[in-house]
Each structure stands twice: as structure tokens, then as C-alpha cells.
Amino acid sequence: MKKAISTTKAPAAIGPYSQAIKVGNLVYTSGQIPIDPATGNFVEGGIKEQTRQSLTNVKAILEEAGLTMGNVVKTTVFMADMADFADMNAVYAEFFTEPYPARSAVAVKTLPKGALVEIEVVAEIV
């Protein structure tokens, strides 16, 4: 049985999807773009600030499910420009410790609302 997870500490869904879904012992988050839930706007700055906000949104959703970033087993990072990879990676490293989750990072043509980055995760309930 699947259960939707929702929090006001992350941006509300802007379409017909859930912030996250819990099924079995896994939580799947929807991709999080760098919207500050307090303002409804993108955070100011470039890839570093946008990565930090996207991961802060992921963290808030996981906390609503009773989890931490330490429960994350897989991430997918979508980027508008792979030239931003090193800066994204530097901020990403602030949110995770060893053993690091598996990760895919891909460049895409465009992201919702013109974001520079979007991040989704899969976390395990242990």
C-alpha cells in the first residue's frame, strides 16, 4: 500500500503529484527544485544556492516521513548545465556522509520554471 507524504516545509506540488510516496520500506521523493517554501520563489544566487535549497527541500520531506539524509540510498540530480557539476557537488557533499548514496547526475535541456538543478531521492526506512 502506498502513502503520500506532504509537508509545508517544502514547496507544494505544482501539478498532479505528491511530494513523496512511501511504499513498503522505501520513500521516493519527487524532484525538488530550489523554491523557498516560505516565499514560493527561487532562492537568490546560482547553482550552489539552488542546490542547497533543493536538498533542504528533500531533507524537509524526509523529516516528515521520520527519516534523515542518512536514510537516502539513491539520488538523481538533474542539471541544466554540466559545467556547474563541481559547484553542485561541493554543496551536495555537505548533506551526505559515508557510505554515500548511489547517484546519477545528468544534464537536461530545461528544468521546471528555469531551475538550474532538480534533485530526487529514494530513502530506506530501517
Side-chain angles (χ1 to χ4, degrees), residues 4-21 28-33 35-37 40 57 61 112-113 118:
I5 296 168
S6 180
T7 178
T8 58
K9 295 179 182 176
I14 55 175
Y17 62 88
S18 300
Q19 288 176 329
I21 291 289
Y28 298 84
T29 71
S30 290
Q32 294 300 303
I33 58 176
I35 293 176
D36 179 341
N57 293 342
I61 293 166
K113 298 186 173 236
E118 179 174 356

Side-chain angles (χ1 to χ4, degrees), residues 40-113:
N41 298 317
F42 276 178
V43 294
E44 303 250 341
I47 190 66
K48 288 183 176 182
E49 294 79 10
Q50 288 199 16
T51 300
R52 186 169 287 108
Q53 185 63 54
S54 294
L55 287 168
T56 298
N57 293 342
V58 166
K59 184 177 176 185
I61 293 166
L62 293 176
E63 287 173 352
E64 183 66 23
L67 303 174
T68 70
M69 297 298 269
N71 293 96
V72 175
V73 295
K74 172 71 168 76
T75 67
T76 305
V77 180
F78 303 95
M79 299 175 60
D81 187 347
M82 267 309 201
D84 289 333
F85 183 84
D87 286 338
M88 176 282 298
N89 203 45
V91 174
Y92 179 97
E94 296 171 11
F95 284 80
F96 297 100
T97 58
E98 291 189 31
Y100 299 112
R103 178 178 74 185
S104 300
V106 297
V108 296
K109 185 174 179 180
T110 58
L111 288 166
K113 298 186 173 236

